[in-house]
Amino acid sequence: MKKFKRLIAIVTVLLFALTIVAPAFAQDEATTNPVYDDAAKVLKDKGVLQGNENGDLMLDKTLTRAEVVTMILRATGQEDVAEEYADADASFSDTADHWAKKYIEAAKELGIVNGYPDGTFKPEAPIKFEELCKLLVAAANETPAAGKWPLNYVKKALDLGFFNGIEDEVGIGQVVVRGQAAVGFAAAFFPPEKPAPVVKDVQPGDNTSFVVTLEPAAGYTLEDGDVTAADFEVKDAADETKTLAVKDATLDVATGKVKVTTDPQVAGKTYKVFFRGQDTTKTFAGAPVDLTADVPNPDNLKSFTIKFNDEVDPATLVKNDTIKVDGKDIYDLKLLDDNKTVYVVLSDKFDQFTKYNVLINGVKSKFGKTLTNFSKEVSVLDSKQPEVTKVEALNPKQIKVTFSEPINETKSDLYSLRDKVKVNGLYITAKITSVDPLTNSIVFELYSALTKGTQNIEITGYQDFANYTMVAKQTTFDVQEDIKAPTLVKATFQDKQTIIVEFDEPLVSGTDSTVPYGTFKVNGNVATAKFVDNTNNTQVKLTLSPALSFGTLLAAITYQNQKDLVGNTVSTEQTYTLSITDDTIPPVINNIEVLDGNTVKVVFSKPMSKTDGTVTQGTTSNNVQSSWWTDDYTLQIPADKVGLASVNGGNYTIKFENFKDMSIRGNAMLTVEKPITAKDTVKPVVSDKFKVENGSTSDYDVVKIFFSEPMNRDTIANVSSYVYVDAGNNEYPLSAVSNFTGLTVASDNKSVTIGFKNARTFTTEKFKLFAMKDLAGNLIETNGVAVVSLIGSANALVINSAKATSATEVTVTFNNKIVSVDPRILKLKVGNSEFAFSSATIDTTNSNVVKFTATTNIPADTANTSISIWDSSKITDIYGQNYRNSTDTFVVNDGIAPTVTIATGDNSKQIKLTFSETVKATYDSQVYASIIMVKVADGSFVTLDSSNVAYGSGENKDGFKTLIITAPEATTDYYITVSPTYIKDALAGNAVEPQINVKVTSK
């Protein structure tokens, strides 16, 4: 069956058909039905209807079925189909000679019409309302509603609003007049335009999008298709002639938010948003691109580059930290001028034809986008010779040679003949003062100065780190006459006692090669001067004495008698004034992490003083040492200095106190506590007990060996890691021991079972265990070797002690470590009553200890409270043993601190203390004030003595539950403090829980 064509064809041809059927009308002619008039005006405005000289539409006349079918065929562009049926036999008894037969036959074939049950079509019959509904719904490409004909089509047409305003005029079975048809056609094909929604908000998205929030016009809702990319225009707010291309627009009708996709934005640039040609007055800032990186394969063995897609924050480029190379240490790195490319130099070198992973984690763009967990595998291949790319004279005594890649050369402090460099045909006598792999350069300092003018140079013989010899180079360079004394061009404040100054050329050293000629003063005081790098003497470290005072903002640096390499001298005193930033912002900790070995790495927000600061973890406290600082921002605390040198991992807190930055104010950091998660650095050990037991048959024995923690399964399952040592100290592989039948690892990886056939008797034999590791990779015991002496067996499992630690909790300590336990192992006995436990928890730090939760409160001051074994099979120790004796009974020691309730007494001067159990006092009348303090509303304390304190009826200091305190005078409020020092429970001596500043309002 041929399909309908596009809706535009339907609209154009169908309404053209209406024009043919209905006479035209005059522009100003109107009917008495305004809905008809409005529909007719819509059709007229669209150029579909035209007026005639009579102005008569005949809107009250009918349309025939044949006319409407013909219009539909023409509207859908199916006249060619109709022509195919011009000579076809008629399907209906009353259409054989009808002028519209071919249209009717085509419509039947297309499934548009069916005819009547009696085989007729009734082509000249007026069309009824339900028939028109079907045609309009089909022409609009809509699906009928659920249900049967004709209700399904009528309901759909009404739901679509085709007959809005005339619903009461039409109905099933009624003949449609032309005015009603015009209303249906106008509504179906020329609905009124929906008012534009209002742009309420614009927010930035990612680098290629922004988000617009729309609010629909009153009385309307947002629908799919309401907005398109063409509705939006984005202009540069600073220059509206420049636009940002819009690619797509996706509307979420539920939220009213539109995601508008654009070309890449310029980060930080302000963009103005236009909607349907109107300025919304809304703007957004261009978002930064998500930071990504590419690492080209290294073309030499010493260096490589990282290319970021956006400018990066240099402070986040940290060698061997935010940038790493698996298996290699980074010597240094630098950010190139484009602020996107990082040049990285290794301390050692790559191996030729080898792959490495470059790792980036924590590098940020200048807009704060962070690249995390980036990894790129690179293949190293150096296949080319190094070349000289530049030669220049820094001054008459220094030549700088730059190569295409790092050169395998070292600095030399002694002048020597260099057989690789000739100047004007002669080998130079020089020392190498600088080999800089970051610039691929070497600086030669000549023994004798060169004369002014053009010099010839020949360079040969240097090799790269792949041992490729360079391409020989002959070139020229110019030397300028140097008659100017060195000049201080830069000074940098380090801290109140240190300033780094930099000259425009190298200085000559004095009698000590680390010290320059000449004197330096800061604010009139002589400063000690030393070269920062005594092979490239341009930077000098000045140590101030006295240090700059708090708040000093200007430092006058005077210098005299300094010399350059050709002898030019600073003959008169010169002054350089350094402005010091008045920094008042205290430093903070930006990041803290735990490195291998539990070294704690701390990164601060600012350059920090190297001599201030204390770190504390638990009971371990140390002052910071200068050697812990890897740079001005980064502190690496050795594990032993914070008590983490030998821990099984876990969560800890480190306190940082007394840290100061390097500003002139020495801003102090607030004391902070930072949580860390330490790594397991404790070597596993073999338990001092083992177990020999009968196997599954009488001729089969096993030895069970137990480890202190879960182990790496592969290392303890490896039979070759076990060596048997007999009584004569002879060693044999376990696999070679007679009757050995196999080795089994427990599911918790904390023990192994070694089987032997035909019972063996063990006396002084041993097992040596080699290269076994725990889950953290720590090797066993001493140098990866442990020894198990087979001279005993595991102790039977028993209870060592039991103690009530709360009203519902009993802590039981066993002699062996517990693997599993059921609370039903125990029962609690109080007098003649017995109670069960509802849960049991093994202590994670000491698995000998199990905490049992009782189903009822434990009377802590009852002397005959005890526990006994209920079911010995419901507990297992690390040796696989159950409890030894099911008849054991243990007294439960009282570990519960008594509590006290404080309230007013019988009159306004009384305070009543009620204790949870019988307590006793270890004080006399002279120390009442140390035990119970009473503070009145004005802040003064009431002095207590025996006259102020009374016990409950029949009680005394050796056993009481009630104390009545009478204050010397009535007051509105009391503030009571009860000290635990001298009040303890009568049976176990547990100190009362302290109560501090409890407010009691008098009656």
Side-chain angles (χ1 to χ4, degrees), residues 687 689-694 702-707 746-748 750-753 793-798 815-821 872-884:
S687 172
K689 298 293 181 182
F690 72 100
K691 186 178 182 185
V692 179
E693 63 181 25
N694 292 332
V702 295
V703 173
K704 289 188 175 180
I705 299 176
F706 302 89
F707 300 93
S747 59
D748 61 2
K750 292 181 70 174
S751 66
V752 294
T753 301
S793 186
N795 296 324
L797 178 61
V798 296
N815 64 322
N816 295 335
K817 296 183 183 300
I818 304 303
V819 173
S820 65
V821 61
S872 60
S873 68
K874 296 188 181 301
I875 187 169
T876 306
D877 65 11
I878 63 169
Y879 308 109
Q881 303 176 121
N882 299 129
Y883 194 79
R884 178 194 65 183

Side-chain angles (χ1 to χ4, degrees), residues 907 909-911 942 944 947-950 964-969 974:
N907 61 61
K909 292 184 179 182
Q910 284 188 350
I911 306 164
V942 176
L944 300 180
S947 65
N948 301 105
V949 180
I964 302 294
I965 299 173
T966 303
E969 58 185 33
Y974 302 108

Side-chain angles (χ1 to χ4, degrees), residues 278-338:
Q278 301 298 313
D279 186 352
T280 66
T281 74
K282 309 294 184 184
T283 62
F284 69 93
V289 66
D290 287 337
L291 191 62
T292 60
D294 182 42
V295 186
N297 289 329
D299 60 0
N300 68 81
L301 305 189
K302 190 68 173 177
S303 67
F304 64 96
T305 58
I306 302 173
K307 298 181 182 295
F308 293 94
N309 66 324
D310 199 2
E311 295 184 36
V312 296
D313 178 0
T316 64
L317 299 173
V318 184
K319 65 179 184 179
N320 302 314
D321 184 356
T322 60
I323 296 180
K324 299 179 182 180
V325 179
D326 267 355
K328 293 294 179 182
D329 184 66
I330 295 176
Y331 163 73
D332 208 351
L333 50 81
K334 71 173 180 178
L335 182 62
L336 302 188
D337 291 342
D338 64 358

Side-chain angles (χ1 to χ4, degrees), residues 66-67 69-70 95 98-105 123:
E67 289 171 339
V69 169
T70 301
T95 61
H98 197 273
W99 64 268
K101 184 195 74 171
K102 62 182 179 181
Y103 294 101
I104 296 169
E105 289 301 317

Side-chain angles (χ1 to χ4, degrees), residues 4 50 55 69 72-73 83 102 126 175 214 241 254 318 321 471 486 503 511 523 661 676 678 707 712 870 925 1000:
F4 289 113
Q50 298 177 4
V69 169
I72 292 297
L73 266 293
E83 291 302 325
K102 62 182 179 181
V175 173
L214 296 178
T241 64
V318 184
D321 184 356
V471 177
F503 286 82
T511 54
N523 290 348
D661 65 19
I676 63 166
F707 300 93
N712 178 298
W870 190 297
S925 60
V1000 180

